[in-house]
Amino acid sequence: PKIGCTKGDPTYDRLCYGAYAVYINGAKCLLLFVVAALLGVLPHVLTFALAYGALRTFSFGVHLNNTGLCTLLGLVYYLGRPYLSTTIAPAWWHLALLLAVGGVLFALYAPAETTKRPIPQRRRSAYKGKALAVLAVIGVAALLIQSHHPVISNLLCMAAVCQSINLLPITY
């Protein structure tokens, strides 16, 4: 069926780029989830991924240009954080301190634009407000469940810390 555009047309190019992005990201997610399931950490990886994805939705941040490097570092990132969350047990005030530092970094640097995806000035404050709101929800949830579900609390806090680092100008 005809979709109303031809090769070389900007609409065609956007559709092809979108299809490629879905394919690459889908393949990376499948690989990640299969490896996580084999290692027995799939629930932890999903928890981290959902929190991290929610934080990135409005704050954006650094992107790697190389798909292979992105896949390799993504596996380390998404599999390493759940491992750390099960092996360390910080006190609630450590989590509160990390989340407070994250809040300051979000306030200073979110949303973080890339050269390929600049953020229009008129949308910056709305994105910042939404990013801070998501961080607040995740932070409060992490602190409230810390005594009964420390691993999940750690995962939520690590997602906030990781995204805070991704917002820093030095990571670009």
Tab-separated table of all heavy atoms in Angstrom, residues 16 22 30 39 42 52 55 59 61 64 80 111 138-139 146 150:
chain	number	residue	atom	x	y	z
A	16	CYS	N	11.592	5.921	7.518
A	16	CYS	CA	12.673	4.928	7.500
A	16	CYS	C	13.510	5.019	8.763
A	16	CYS	O	13.867	3.988	9.353
A	16	CYS	CB	13.548	5.108	6.263
A	16	CYS	SG	12.741	4.564	4.752
A	22	VAL	N	13.066	1.723	15.792
A	22	VAL	CA	12.234	0.707	16.437
A	22	VAL	C	12.910	-0.657	16.340
A	22	VAL	O	12.975	-1.415	17.318
A	22	VAL	CB	10.815	0.670	15.819
A	22	VAL	CG1	10.053	-0.568	16.256
A	22	VAL	CG2	10.049	1.933	16.187
A	30	LEU	N	15.175	-6.879	23.486
A	30	LEU	CA	15.029	-8.332	23.478
A	30	LEU	C	16.286	-8.998	24.021
A	30	LEU	O	16.217	-9.884	24.879
A	30	LEU	CB	14.721	-8.830	22.053
A	30	LEU	CG	14.506	-10.327	21.909
A	30	LEU	CD1	13.303	-10.792	22.721
A	30	LEU	CD2	14.326	-10.694	20.444
A	39	LEU	N	19.931	-14.744	33.703
A	39	LEU	CA	20.648	-14.464	34.947
A	39	LEU	C	19.719	-14.421	36.163
A	39	LEU	O	20.183	-14.273	37.292
A	39	LEU	CB	21.405	-13.138	34.835
A	39	LEU	CG	22.531	-13.096	33.812
A	39	LEU	CD1	23.111	-11.695	33.709
A	39	LEU	CD2	23.621	-14.102	34.170
A	42	LEU	N	15.414	-10.578	35.815
A	42	LEU	CA	14.468	-9.869	34.946
A	42	LEU	C	13.550	-8.909	35.706
A	42	LEU	O	13.388	-7.766	35.273
A	42	LEU	CB	13.651	-10.855	34.106
A	42	LEU	CG	12.694	-10.240	33.103
A	42	LEU	CD1	13.430	-9.354	32.106
A	42	LEU	CD2	11.903	-11.316	32.379
A	52	TYR	N	13.922	4.352	35.085
A	52	TYR	CA	14.888	5.100	34.281
A	52	TYR	C	14.205	5.691	33.041
A	52	TYR	O	14.430	6.853	32.694
A	52	TYR	CB	16.030	4.162	33.902
A	52	TYR	CG	17.148	4.794	33.132
A	52	TYR	CD1	17.964	5.756	33.701
A	52	TYR	CD2	17.409	4.404	31.818
A	52	TYR	CE1	19.007	6.318	32.997
A	52	TYR	CE2	18.446	4.960	31.106
A	52	TYR	CZ	19.246	5.915	31.696
A	52	TYR	OH	20.270	6.472	30.988
A	55	LEU	N	12.078	8.647	33.994
A	55	LEU	CA	12.904	9.835	34.251
A	55	LEU	C	13.422	10.455	32.952
A	55	LEU	O	13.483	11.672	32.820
A	55	LEU	CB	14.075	9.470	35.164
A	55	LEU	CG	13.696	9.181	36.609
A	55	LEU	CD1	14.809	8.437	37.323
A	55	LEU	CD2	13.332	10.464	37.330
A	59	SER	N	13.362	14.490	30.829
A	59	SER	CA	14.648	15.139	31.104
A	59	SER	C	15.672	14.897	30.003
A	59	SER	O	16.683	15.581	29.955
A	59	SER	CB	15.207	14.669	32.447
A	59	SER	OG	15.415	13.277	32.449
A	61	GLY	N	18.724	13.705	27.836
A	61	GLY	CA	20.083	13.418	28.262
A	61	GLY	C	20.935	12.818	27.172
A	61	GLY	O	20.538	12.746	26.007
A	64	LEU	N	24.492	7.776	23.031
A	64	LEU	CA	25.706	7.318	22.358
A	64	LEU	C	25.447	7.243	20.860
A	64	LEU	O	24.357	6.877	20.432
A	64	LEU	CB	26.126	5.945	22.893
A	64	LEU	CG	26.526	5.930	24.365
A	64	LEU	CD1	26.803	4.509	24.828
A	64	LEU	CD2	27.747	6.795	24.590
A	80	GLY	N	24.054	-4.330	35.553
A	80	GLY	CA	24.910	-4.007	36.689
A	80	GLY	C	24.159	-3.349	37.831
A	80	GLY	O	24.421	-3.631	39.007
A	111	PRO	N	15.667	20.028	31.046
A	111	PRO	CA	15.937	18.932	30.124
A	111	PRO	C	17.263	19.151	29.399
A	111	PRO	O	17.631	20.280	29.086
A	111	PRO	CB	14.777	18.998	29.147
A	111	PRO	CG	14.400	20.438	29.109
A	111	PRO	CD	14.686	20.962	30.507
A	138	ILE	N	9.244	9.228	42.061
A	138	ILE	CA	10.151	8.087	42.204
A	138	ILE	C	10.929	8.192	43.521
A	138	ILE	O	11.103	7.194	44.230
A	138	ILE	CB	11.080	7.985	40.978
A	138	ILE	CG1	10.262	7.463	39.790
A	138	ILE	CG2	12.283	7.096	41.258
A	138	ILE	CD1	10.992	7.438	38.482
A	139	GLY	N	11.368	9.397	43.868
A	139	GLY	CA	12.109	9.585	45.113
A	139	GLY	C	11.273	9.295	46.344
A	139	GLY	O	11.723	8.596	47.263
A	146	GLN	N	11.582	1.795	51.365
A	146	GLN	CA	12.957	1.394	51.672
A	146	GLN	C	13.041	0.327	52.753
A	146	GLN	O	13.812	-0.614	52.637
A	146	GLN	CB	13.785	2.630	52.036
A	146	GLN	CG	15.276	2.432	51.934
A	146	GLN	CD	15.915	1.966	53.211
A	146	GLN	OE1	15.380	2.122	54.290
A	146	GLN	NE2	17.098	1.396	53.081
A	150	PRO	N	13.913	-3.031	50.154
A	150	PRO	CA	15.145	-2.275	49.934
A	150	PRO	C	15.726	-2.417	48.529
A	150	PRO	O	16.292	-1.456	48.011
A	150	PRO	CB	16.103	-2.831	50.994
A	150	PRO	CG	15.535	-4.147	51.390
A	150	PRO	CD	14.053	-4.042	51.198
